[in-house]
Amino acid sequence: MVSKSQKRPPKDVAKHAPDRLAKRSAASSKQSSAAIISKSEKSRDSILEAAARLFRRQGYSATTLRQIAEIAEIKAGSVYYYFDSKEQILDEVLHLGLLRVFEAVKKAHRDAGDVSHRRKIGLAIEAHLVALLEDSDFTSANIRIYGQLPESLKKPHRPLRRAYAKYWDKLFLDARRAGEIRADIEIVPLRIFVIGALNWTIEWFSLDSKDAVLKLARRTELLIFDGVKKP
């Protein structure tokens, strides 16, 4: 024979059971939603990474949404779930490309602390080259295709490009004020020359060893500061 206490849970347990079930259901729903968001974010990131790789290798015009979907391993029609058009994908690839190199340069300076102006410029060269040649198809894609694009696609990215240019201008200006570079050097042409030289490396540099980029950065710093004239 089963007692009454066995047939029915205590009053306090019975009273709070619906609340517990509701909380479990909410938690389960929340976990499910998080899993869906996580999967969605991964698919979106895969599309952007595939697009950056293709833009870097073959340019914007030659890249199709079907090619992007194939590398991202999703159905071609699914791209439109995440992006309205190829132009929207391009917009984000360009933004991330420059943002990543900008953030890498600033982080290198934050981590270094109080160092000489020459060292700050050297760190900027190193961070720029690493982002360009090692870490990010986004940065390389930005550099390679930006000049090929119509003005309407370039315009949204000009503010960030100007901010990055001004950041470098300040590096050189501070170095000139401190007497670490020549007083007769014009800052803007110097910055255009240096960043142009760094960006051009994507056309000729071969990443054949782990520290190849760091060696290139050191050689570039030496050339900028000491030139080619025999002392």
Side-chain angles (χ1 to χ4, degrees):
M1 182 175 180
V2 180
S3 68
K4 290 183 179 181
S5 63
Q6 289 176 311
K7 289 181 180 180
R8 184 181 306 162
K11 288 184 179 181
D12 59 335
V13 174
K15 181 181 178 181
H16 295 293
D19 291 341
R20 290 198 182 102
L21 288 173
K23 287 178 180 179
R24 284 181 187 174
S25 178
S28 177
S29 177
K30 191 174 181 179
Q31 289 173 351
S32 178
S33 297
I36 292 171
I37 292 171
S38 177
K39 184 179 179 181
S40 177
E41 287 175 347
K42 286 179 181 178
S43 296
R44 192 175 189 279
D45 289 345
S46 295
I47 292 169
L48 289 172
E49 288 166 6
R53 195 182 317 164
L54 288 167
F55 292 160
R56 176 184 182 179
R57 291 178 181 174
Q58 62 188 39
Y60 173 69
S61 298
T63 298
T64 67
L65 287 176
R66 186 173 296 278
Q67 289 173 330
I68 292 171
E70 184 178 349
I71 291 180
E73 297 182 344
I74 64 171
K75 293 180 180 179
S78 298
V79 173
Y80 290 104
Y81 177 80
Y82 305 96
F83 299 96
D84 294 334
S85 63
K86 190 172 77 165
E87 287 81 3
Q88 190 180 38
I89 297 173
L90 171 74
D91 187 67
E92 190 145 354
V93 168
L94 290 176
H95 177 71
L96 289 173
L98 187 54
L99 183 65
R100 287 181 180 184
V101 72
F102 198 173
E103 291 299 326
V105 170
K106 290 190 287 188
K107 183 179 184 303
H109 289 152
R110 287 195 302 270
D111 292 347
D114 187 17
V115 294
S116 70
H117 296 288
R118 172 168 178 160
R119 182 59 185 145
K120 286 182 180 179
I121 293 169
L123 287 167
I125 290 169
E126 181 180 305
H128 187 104
L129 286 175
V130 168
L132 182 62
L133 300 172
E134 266 188 37
D135 289 347
S136 177
D137 281 330
F138 290 84
T139 301
S140 298
N142 183 303
I143 300 303
R144 180 157 280 165
I145 68 175
Y146 185 82
Q148 306 168 8
L149 301 173
E151 179 61 26
S152 59
L153 296 179
K154 290 180 179 178
K155 188 175 180 181
H157 304 280
R158 293 201 185 282
L160 184 58
R161 293 174 76 87
R162 283 196 294 267
Y164 189 53
K166 287 181 180 179
Y167 189 90
W168 276 85
D169 287 348
K170 187 175 186 307
L171 289 177
F172 288 125
L173 184 60
D174 289 345
R176 189 175 68 181
R177 286 171 175 166
E180 294 188 26
I181 62 174
R182 284 166 40 182
D184 61 338
I185 294 293
E186 293 184 40
I187 298 302
V188 172
L190 175 60
R191 179 254 300 162
I192 293 173
F193 169 77
V194 171
I195 294 183
L198 297 181
N199 290 344
W200 187 249
T201 58
I202 61 173
E203 302 297 340
W204 60 265
F205 180 74
S206 177
L207 186 61
D208 54 7
S209 66
K210 187 176 181 180
D211 62 346
V213 175
L214 298 182
K215 288 180 180 178
L216 176 63
R218 287 192 290 270
R219 289 199 301 268
T220 304
E221 179 188 345
L222 183 66
L223 181 61
I224 291 168
F225 280 95
D226 300 330
V228 296
K229 184 179 179 180
K230 187 177 179 179

